[in-house]
Amino acid sequence: MTGKLIFFDVDGTLLDHDKRIPASAKQAVRELQDAGHEVAIATGRGPFMFREIREELGIDSYISYNGQFAVRRGEVILRNPIRPDLVQKITERALELDHAIVYMNDEAMKANIERHDYIEESMASLELVDKTMAWDKDYHIGREIYQCLLFCTIGDEMKYREEFPELGFIRWHQFSMDVLPLGGSKAQGIETYRKLAGVRPEDVYAFGDGLNDIEMLQTVHNSVAMGNAVESVQKAAKHVTKDVAEDGIRHGLELVGLL
């Protein structure tokens, strides 16, 4: 591959504060593709949660679940599920503490309890409140689970970190954390993808704005934090662009010389 490899986070990066893709970002992605570059998504979402975004942008490559499930040009290249015994153990602990869990694989996500205020409030921030998100307490049994969502407050977070050292936790909402295999990250997913694509490290670019983007921005050779990112995320990147709503994607691509 002779072109560059560019990864974009979704929420707050490709999607603006109204959960829409700015026209300037659509045009920028199209120009990258026309120039022969490979454009991919790197997100904490599951594949079914950003299908319309991929279709709108003409992208068929992505790293989902913070690096645990990846597809390149429509073909699965990486599967890194959580150990089934760990999924079961954290489920039991969550039930003891009256916390909800959502199990996520490449096809769907299912909650272990029928209803919980924390699920509704945190998922509403992604505009993903969906009456079809069914309750199935046994969904994790016999399936590969790439990520869980654990719904608890910051005050209860340390309990899980201390009791489950074999799992990774990334908070993305005051009421919710991503639960991953230990060491799993967008950075690791990108490295696997990069090697399979035959791209030099210096030809890889990444854009992000969230706490789950920090390792990616620290690791990728050419990293760009969005202007709407918090200070810790901006400090992790080599460059900082404008707010997503102020043509941040296009400005960032111009900043690094891709447009």
Side-chain angles (χ1 to χ4, degrees), residues 163-220:
E163 293 180 34
F164 296 94
E166 295 170 289
L167 292 172
F169 299 89
I170 302 174
R171 181 163 291 279
W172 60 274
H173 187 275
Q174 63 174 327
F175 294 140
S176 185
M177 295 190 293
D178 294 331
V179 182
L180 306 165
L182 187 64
S185 67
K186 291 184 183 183
Q188 291 296 324
I190 286 174
E191 181 61 10
T192 298
Y193 190 114
R194 179 194 71 76
K195 290 178 178 177
L196 287 171
V199 179
R200 300 179 305 171
E202 57 265 37
D203 290 332
V204 180
Y205 297 74
F207 287 66
D209 76 298
L211 297 177
N212 62 335
D213 294 320
I214 288 178
E215 186 176 348
M216 174 182 76
L217 296 174
Q218 290 173 332
T219 304
V220 170

Side-chain angles (χ1 to χ4, degrees), residues 105-144:
N105 65 1
D106 55 308
E107 297 178 344
M109 58 182 180
K110 306 285 185 180
N112 72 326
I113 60 177
E114 194 166 3
R115 183 190 173 280
H116 198 288
D117 289 342
Y118 288 180
I119 293 179
E120 294 181 8
E121 184 161 345
S122 56
M123 298 307 282
S125 71
L126 300 177
E127 296 192 2
L128 290 173
V129 174
D130 188 346
K131 294 178 181 178
T132 64
M133 188 173 113
W135 161 55
D136 184 349
K137 66 182 179 61
D138 297 323
Y139 190 70
H140 61 296
I141 298 175
R143 290 184 172 89
E144 289 189 334

Side-chain angles (χ1 to χ4, degrees), residues 1-16:
M1 178 178 161
T2 56
K4 311 296 184 182
L5 177 57
I6 305 104
F7 291 92
F8 293 104
D9 169 55
V10 172
D11 298 285
T13 301
L14 283 175
L15 295 183
D16 63 19

Side-chain angles (χ1 to χ4, degrees), residues 43-44 63-68 147 170 178 180 184-186 212:
T43 180
I63 291 169
S64 64
Y65 291 136
N66 291 303
Q68 314 320 302
Q147 179 171 284
I170 302 174
D178 294 331
L180 306 165
S185 67
K186 291 184 183 183
N212 62 335

Side-chain angles (χ1 to χ4, degrees), residues 96-111:
E96 291 175 0
L97 295 171
D98 193 28
H99 295 150
I101 284 186
V102 167
Y103 309 111
M104 312 177 84
N105 65 1
D106 55 308
E107 297 178 344
M109 58 182 180
K110 306 285 185 180

